[in-house]
Amino acid sequence: MSIQIPFSNSYGQLPARFYSRQPATPVSAPRLIAFNDALAETLGIARGSDDDMARIFAGNEVPPGADPLAQVYAGHQFGGFSPQLGDGRALLLGEVQAPDGTRRDIQLKGAGRTPYSRGGDGRAWLGPVLREYVVSEAMAALGVPTTRALAAVATGDAVFRETALPGAVLTRVAASHIRVGTFQFFAARGDLEALQALFDYTRARHYPDAETPDDLLVSVIDAQAALVAHWLSLGFIHGVMNTDNTTLSGETIDYGPCAFIDDYHPQTVFSSIDRHGRYAYDNQANVIVWNMAQLATCLVPLYDDADAAVERFTAAVHAMPARIEAEWLTRFGAKIGLSAPVEADRTLITGLLDLMARDGADFTNTFRALTDGQARDQFTDRAAFDAWHVRWQARLASEPQPEALMARTNPVFIPRNHRVEEMIEAAVSGDFAPFERLNRVLAAPFTDQPDAADLTRPPQPHERVQQTFCGT
Ligand code: AMP
Ligand code: MG
């Protein structure tokens, strides 16, 4: 039986300089690794046979209604501007209009070379494909706005990085793939007509109430402020917050060397390529403001009076840190059981975080243990924790149901980096059981699952992943 994807494409109606139309490059022996039935159902996609889906999600067959194209964009990578990036190893198959009315991109990642591949091979290997599958699905289950994973396919071809590795293709679903870098591409060329078309398209697709570029900027700032505060509340480090990896929709995108913190240290960096800690855990709030300033710069030419626009945009960007702080307070307040935290509660939260950092307490387990009274065990300086606990209990006295709030805010399970690495190693040697188990457990991250208690353990010293390679 053939898979049915109800395509309804719109990006391909934008001017031709927005993309390069082409099919994927076929692979030798496509084999389906995973298909996300629950996600497919929300998209109105009807499953086909495994062979059929393997062919389509490897790019060997173009499904009816698809309009495969590589999207062009630019971007600041680690602060330096690249005027020409684009989908170098990805292809937009098309969009579906889901039964709930929302429009979603269906994209193949690792589908072969495109005009934007530069020196790259256009391919992905199994490791990053499964990492993105597991982590993006875990993020969705945690309630974080994110791209999703619809399918993973093994290609049967080797991909050459430092060694020969098994190739794979990920099918990604996104509210759209419009990035800050998409605006930068046209702004850098002074292509006002394209900029206007992109603004109109983005507004219609994501923020129909935004009438002006000012409105759009504020909407994106709000969405990104909420997103990054949400990341921080879960100990998530994106790893490569380049402007080409920052969406207009406010979804998390491009899971490369991302990871969740185990023992809490605010300066934690995982990515092997982030040598100066630009995208460290506690720098993410600064970086997203910087990225929004880049978006603002692109929107200026849409106004005749540039000086006035700059003045208004500057104010909007300068207001962003306070937006993030407010979101942060709500998120971290909830983590300690406060349903309506106020400014005075901030020191209560940072007081706990400071103790955690001093003792290297596990971020996820400490917050979860606050609910069951076991948090003290996470600390070496127990007296300091006890003193904090007295302050906390006094504040909690006026809260109606702190336990319930904390239990739905502090996950039991996160995709711990050493488990993700272990899963990839197993998959490379042909064992997909850890991949399937991670997906199953992480689908209910707030639920105690006694048979998965091992997945709550922080890494032992020898299990600790020192660096996560971009290695895409
Ligand atoms: P990313 O690391 O996913 O943010 O990618 C940054 C840029 O490099 C994008 O333009 C990608 O399309 C491109 N790129 C990354 N890996 C490859 C590859 N293997 N082949 C071609 N282009 C790539
Ligand atoms: Mg990217």
Side-chain angles (χ1 to χ4, degrees):
M1 195 187 63
S2 196
I3 185 169
Q4 308 283 323
I5 307 176
F7 285 108
S8 158
N9 306 324
S10 63
Y11 205 81
Q13 280 151 41
L14 284 163
R17 56 198 189 281
F18 278 69
Y19 46 78
S20 173
R21 200 166 253 128
Q22 65 160 76
T25 309
V27 305
S28 301
R31 190 179 61 75
L32 191 70
I33 298 169
F35 183 72
N36 190 338
D37 284 295
L39 176 61
E41 194 173 322
T42 68
L43 299 172
I45 295 175
R47 195 182 221 285
S49 70
D50 281 13
D51 281 351
D52 184 47
M53 296 199 291
R55 272 197 314 279
I56 284 176
F57 295 123
N60 282 24
E61 185 181 316
V62 181
D67 180 20
L69 54 87
Q71 293 171 298
V72 75
Y73 51 84
H76 276 95
Q77 302 182 299
F78 290 90
F81 187 62
S82 300
Q84 165 82 64
L85 296 168
D87 291 335
R89 58 167 158 182
L91 271 185
L92 178 66
L93 271 191
E95 302 142 39
V96 296
Q97 192 106 43
D100 71 358
T102 56
R103 183 175 285 281
R104 291 272 179 271
D105 278 7
I106 313 284
Q107 194 204 57
L108 304 182
K109 197 168 170 183
R113 287 181 51 79
T114 76
Y116 316 126
S117 297
R118 297 172 292 161
D121 60 2
R123 293 299 184 187
W125 73 274
L126 189 61
V129 166
L130 297 187
R131 172 182 285 274
E132 175 156 349
Y133 197 111
V134 166
V135 181
S136 67
E137 285 304 300
M139 291 283 270
L142 288 163
V144 183
T146 177
T147 63
R148 301 287 303 270
L150 180 64
V153 173
T155 61
D157 295 321
V159 168
F160 297 92
R161 295 296 178 256
E162 261 136 47
T163 55
L165 294 160
V169 178
L170 178 78
T171 303
R172 173 159 80 181
V173 174
S176 84
H177 286 84
I178 303 167
R179 306 146 189 272
V180 171
T182 317
F183 279 82
Q184 290 182 292
F185 179 84
F186 296 111
R189 280 160 183 74
D191 187 343
L192 190 55
E193 197 184 71
L195 214 46
Q196 184 68 49
L198 182 59
F199 165 71
D200 291 338
Y201 182 88
T202 306
R203 181 183 57 156
R205 187 154 173 182
H206 296 300
Y207 304 101
D209 296 337
E211 284 178 15
T212 63
D214 279 278
D215 297 340
L216 180 78
L217 178 64
V218 170
S219 302
V220 179
I221 284 177
D222 284 351
Q224 287 289 345
L227 180 68
V228 171
H230 208 159
W231 289 356
L232 296 176
S233 76
L234 294 165
F236 179 75
I237 305 175
H238 181 282
V240 200
M241 287 177 72
N242 293 335
T243 56
D244 52 306
N245 295 338
T246 300
T247 56
L248 272 283
S249 67
E251 283 183 345
T252 312
I253 196 169
D254 277 2
Y255 292 86
C258 60
F260 286 77
I261 283 190
D262 295 299
D263 50 327
Y264 177 65
H265 292 291
Q267 288 88 35
T268 303
V269 175
F270 287 104
S271 168
S272 61
I273 56 172
D274 190 2
R275 297 214 173 74
H276 304 288
R278 181 180 173 90
Y279 302 138
Y281 172 80
D282 71 346
N283 207 33
Q284 298 183 109
N286 295 329
V287 167
I288 197 61
V289 175
W290 193 87
N291 287 357
M292 290 300 101
Q294 306 316 309
L295 174 62
T297 304
C298 298
L299 298 176
V300 171
L302 294 175
Y303 287 99
D304 291 333
D305 186 343
D307 290 344
V310 167
E311 199 167 311
R312 293 192 311 277
F313 290 173
T314 303
V317 172
H318 284 174
M320 189 181 188
R323 294 277 309 126
I324 300 174
E325 286 291 305
E327 295 283 350
W328 185 96
L329 184 60
T330 304
R331 291 262 166 221
F332 276 83
K335 289 178 81 67
I336 62 165
L338 308 181
S339 54
V342 295
E343 273 308 312
D345 295 320
R346 204 176 277 280
T347 57
L348 186 63
I349 300 164
T350 54
L352 177 64
L353 288 170
D354 290 346
L355 293 182
M356 287 167 61
R358 232 171 55 194
D359 288 2
D362 184 80
F363 185 89
T364 303
N365 291 350
T366 301
F367 279 108
R368 186 70 188 189
L370 287 175
T371 322
D372 56 27
Q374 307 292 312
R376 193 172 192 267
D377 299 346
Q378 302 286 331
F379 294 88
T380 46
D381 186 351
R382 305 251 157 114
F385 176 75
D386 291 343
W388 179 84
H389 197 265
V390 169
R391 277 173 72 201
W392 178 46
Q393 288 300 311
R395 172 63 179 86
L396 272 193
S398 54
E399 282 293 333
Q401 287 214 305
E403 286 84 8
L405 176 59
M406 290 163 68
R408 64 171 185 270
T409 311
N410 296 313
V412 185
F413 299 101
I414 50 158
R416 290 188 185 266
N417 209 15
H418 66 295
R419 293 298 189 175
V420 173
E421 293 288 335
E422 178 186 88
M423 170 280 286
I424 291 170
E425 245 173 74
V428 168
S429 57
D431 176 10
F432 288 87
F435 169 71
E436 278 150 25
R437 180 170 185 241
L438 276 185
N439 283 325
R440 202 170 51 244
V441 171
L442 291 166
F446 298 101
T447 306
D448 284 308
Q449 302 173 55
D451 58 346
D454 58 306
L455 297 182
T456 67
R457 259 199 297 105
Q460 305 288 309
H462 69 278
E463 294 173 316
R464 183 178 280 279
V465 180
Q466 299 301 341
Q467 283 188 327
T468 305
F469 288 90
C470 223
T472 45

